[in-house]
Amino acid sequence: MMLSNSLANDSIRAVHSVSDLCTKTRTLLEEKFANLWVAGEIASITTPVSGHWYLSLKDDKAQIRCVMFKSANIRCQKPKVGDEVLICGRFSLYEARGDLQLILNHLEPRGAGALHKKFEELKAKLISEGLFGAEYKKELPKYPEHIALITSATGAALEDILTVFRRHRYGGCIQVFPSQVQGEEAPSQLISALQAADNTSGVDLILLSRGGGSYEDLFCFNDESLARAIFATKTPLVSAVGHETDITISDFVADMRSATPTAAAEQILKSYSNLNSDIDRLYNRLNQGLTNKLTEEKTKLIQLRNLLQSPLHRLQNSQQRLDQIQQKQLALLNRYLDKKSYQTQILSQRLRARSAQQLVKEARARLGENRLKLNRLGAQITGTLGHSLAQTCRHLEAVSPMSTLSRGYSVLLTEEGQVIKSVDTVQPEQQLQALLQDGSIDLQVLTCRSKDKAAD
C-alpha cells in the first residue's frame, strides 16, 4: 500500500537524475560565474604528468578546489604552497565527483597584477614620448677612470661589483652614492643620488644597481620620476637591476642594460681585460713602424751625404749672395731717399704758397665782403618786415571792436559785464550798460521783443 502511494507521488514530482542535476548545476554556475577574480593562499598543488595543475586555494575561513589546464598554465610561473596569488577563472562543477571547483585561465602572484598594469602603462607612455629611443643613448667610455656606483650600502650587489673590480685589479676611482633600493622612499633617494653623481666633477660612468628580489621589491625602479631623471643625466648610465629575467623601466631608459650587477661590472671592465693584448699589438706596430722609419731616414742620410758640398765652397757662395743682397738693398735705399727728397721739395713750395700771412689776408677780404652782404640783407629784411607789420596792424585795426564802435555801433553789457547776444537773456526793468567809443551809458529795459514776436 505504501509502495503504491510512492509510485503515485513520483508521477506528480519533478524528479532529476544525479547526472542531470549535476549538468544543470554546472551549466548554471558557468553562466552566472564566468569570469571570477579570487585572491587567496595556495594550500596544496599537484602536477601530474599531464601537465595540468590541481590546487586548493584558501583563506582563514574557507577553501576551494581549482584546476588549471596545461594550455593555460604554460604562460604562468608555477606557484608553491603558501604563495599568495590572484587567479581568474570560471566557477564549475566536476560532475564525476560532484565537487565544486574553479577552472583557471590566469594566475599571478598577488599584488603583481596591478603593478604590472602600472608598469605597462608607464612603459607605453614613455615609449610615446621617445625616452627609450636609441638616438638618445649615450656612448659608454671605453676606459672609465671614475665610476659612480648607486646602490644600497649594505646590499650584496655592492660586494659583488667590488669583487669583480678587485679581481680585474681596476686602478680607477669607484665612488659609492648609497641609497635605498626598495620601498616608498627608494625613488626619491635614488634620484638624489643620481643627480649628485651626475653633478660630480670627473665622473665618467654611472652604474645603477641592486640585487635580485620580488617584483614588488624591484618596483621602485619603475618610478616615472626616476626614469625621467635617468633620461636627463649628462653622464652615460648602466642599469643592472635584479636577475636576468627582471626588466624595469630604468633598464629601458638607461644607456645600457646589464642582466646582473656582476655582469655589469664585467661588461664595464671588458675593455680593460683586452687592454694587455691591445698594448702588445700596438707595441708591435710601433716597433715595426720605428724600424721602417729608421731604415728610411738612414737611406735619406746616405743620399744627403753624397750630395753634401765642401763647407768652404758653401761659405763662399753665401758670401757672394750676401754681397749681392747688400748692393740691392743699398740701391733701393738710395731710390727711396731720392723720392722722399723730391716730395719734401714739393711740400715746401706748397707751404710757402699757403703761408699764414697770405691766409689771414684772404680771410680779411672775405670778411669785408660778407659784412657788406650782411648789411644789405639786413636792410632788406628789416624793410620787408616793417611793411608787413604795418599792413597787419591796419588789418587788425579794421576788424577791432573799437573800430566798429567808431562807426556808431555800441555793445550792450549786463551789470556783471557780460555781452548780451540774445533778447531771450534780458528781462524787463533789468539794468544794462551800453558801451560806446568814447564812454558808456546806463540803461533800463522797458520791454523785450524778439524777431518772432515782432513778426506776429
Side-chain angles (χ1 to χ4, degrees), residues 177-251:
F177 293 82
S179 170
Q180 290 187 16
V181 290
Q182 70 181 59
E184 295 181 359
E185 301 296 328
S188 60
Q189 291 194 18
L190 287 169
I191 292 173
S192 298
L194 183 64
Q195 292 174 345
D198 192 38
N199 294 326
T200 299
S201 176
V203 171
D204 301 316
L205 181 69
I206 299 175
L207 175 56
L208 179 65
S209 178
R210 73 148 284 163
S214 66
Y215 191 77
E216 291 83 355
D217 292 341
L218 301 179
F219 203 76
C220 62
F221 290 89
N222 295 324
D223 182 78
E224 180 176 356
S225 298
L226 176 60
R228 297 189 183 279
I230 293 174
F231 183 78
T233 56
K234 303 181 292 293
T235 309
L237 185 142
V238 177
S239 175
V241 179
H243 298 304
E244 294 185 5
T245 57
D246 298 321
I247 301 293
T248 65
I249 295 295
S250 299
D251 296 331

Side-chain angles (χ1 to χ4, degrees), residues 37-43 53 55-58 66 77-88 104 106-112:
W37 286 90
V38 183
E41 178 184 343
I42 300 294
W53 294 350
L55 56 144
S56 297
L57 195 66
K58 70 174 184 177
C66 305
Q77 184 177 357
K78 179 183 175 183
K80 59 182 183 295
V81 174
D83 285 352
E84 291 286 334
V85 295
L86 181 66
I87 59 95
C88 180
L104 310 183
H106 179 77
L107 183 148
E108 65 186 28
R110 188 176 182 181

Side-chain angles (χ1 to χ4, degrees), residues 71-336:
S71 59
N73 67 38
I74 196 172
R75 301 186 300 272
C76 303
Q77 184 177 357
K78 179 183 175 183
K80 59 182 183 295
V81 174
D83 285 352
E84 291 286 334
V85 295
L86 181 66
I87 59 95
C88 180
R90 68 180 188 273
F91 206 24
S92 186
L93 179 74
Y94 183 48
E95 299 175 34
R97 290 198 302 266
D99 292 336
L100 292 172
Q101 64 180 5
L102 286 171
I103 301 177
L104 310 183
N105 55 45
H106 179 77
L107 183 148
E108 65 186 28
R110 188 176 182 181
L115 294 179
H116 183 70
K117 181 180 179 182
K118 184 178 179 181
F119 170 86
E120 292 296 337
E121 290 176 350
L122 178 58
K123 179 181 175 183
K125 177 182 178 181
L126 297 183
I127 288 176
S128 66
E129 296 181 15
L131 267 68
F132 301 165
E135 64 273 18
Y136 299 113
K137 304 298 182 185
K138 297 179 284 293
E139 183 178 359
L140 270 61
K142 193 172 184 180
Y143 301 108
E145 299 180 2
H146 189 172
I147 299 174
L149 177 56
I150 300 176
T151 188
S152 171
T154 60
L158 176 60
E159 187 58 34
D160 292 342
I161 292 172
L162 295 179
T163 299
V164 174
F165 279 100
R166 293 191 197 99
R167 187 174 69 250
H168 286 275
R169 298 180 180 179
Y170 175 66
C173 174
I174 302 175
Q175 187 173 355
V176 179
F177 293 82
S179 170
Q180 290 187 16
V181 290
Q182 70 181 59
E184 295 181 359
E185 301 296 328
S188 60
Q189 291 194 18
L190 287 169
I191 292 173
S192 298
L194 183 64
Q195 292 174 345
D198 192 38
N199 294 326
T200 299
S201 176
V203 171
D204 301 316
L205 181 69
I206 299 175
L207 175 56
L208 179 65
S209 178
R210 73 148 284 163
S214 66
Y215 191 77
E216 291 83 355
D217 292 341
L218 301 179
F219 203 76
C220 62
F221 290 89
N222 295 324
D223 182 78
E224 180 176 356
S225 298
L226 176 60
R228 297 189 183 279
I230 293 174
F231 183 78
T233 56
K234 303 181 292 293
T235 309
L237 185 142
V238 177
S239 175
V241 179
H243 298 304
E244 294 185 5
T245 57
D246 298 321
I247 301 293
T248 65
I249 295 295
S250 299
D251 296 331
F252 291 116
V253 186
D255 299 304
M256 187 185 76
R257 182 251 176 186
S258 290
T260 63
T262 302
E266 294 285 356
Q267 196 163 4
I268 291 172
L269 297 178
K270 182 179 179 181
S271 298
Y272 286 102
S273 301
N274 300 328
L275 191 58
N276 290 332
S277 60
D278 291 342
I279 292 175
D280 292 338
R281 177 173 52 81
L282 293 174
Y283 174 79
N284 293 331
R285 288 179 57 185
L286 180 61
N287 189 32
Q288 183 64 39
L290 288 174
T291 301
N292 295 337
K293 187 66 175 177
L294 288 173
T295 302
E296 180 182 349
E297 294 299 326
K298 185 177 181 180
T299 302
K300 290 181 179 180
L301 182 60
I302 294 173
Q303 293 174 352
L304 291 174
R305 183 182 298 168
N306 295 332
L307 296 174
L308 183 63
Q309 299 177 355
S310 169
L312 180 59
H313 180 68
R314 295 188 61 186
L315 179 60
Q316 292 173 349
N317 289 338
S318 298
Q319 289 176 342
Q320 290 180 358
R321 286 198 300 272
L322 180 60
D323 291 339
Q324 292 174 356
I325 292 172
Q326 288 178 345
Q327 292 175 0
K328 184 177 180 180
Q329 292 297 324
L330 183 58
L332 291 174
L333 180 59
N334 290 332
R335 286 198 297 269
Y336 178 78

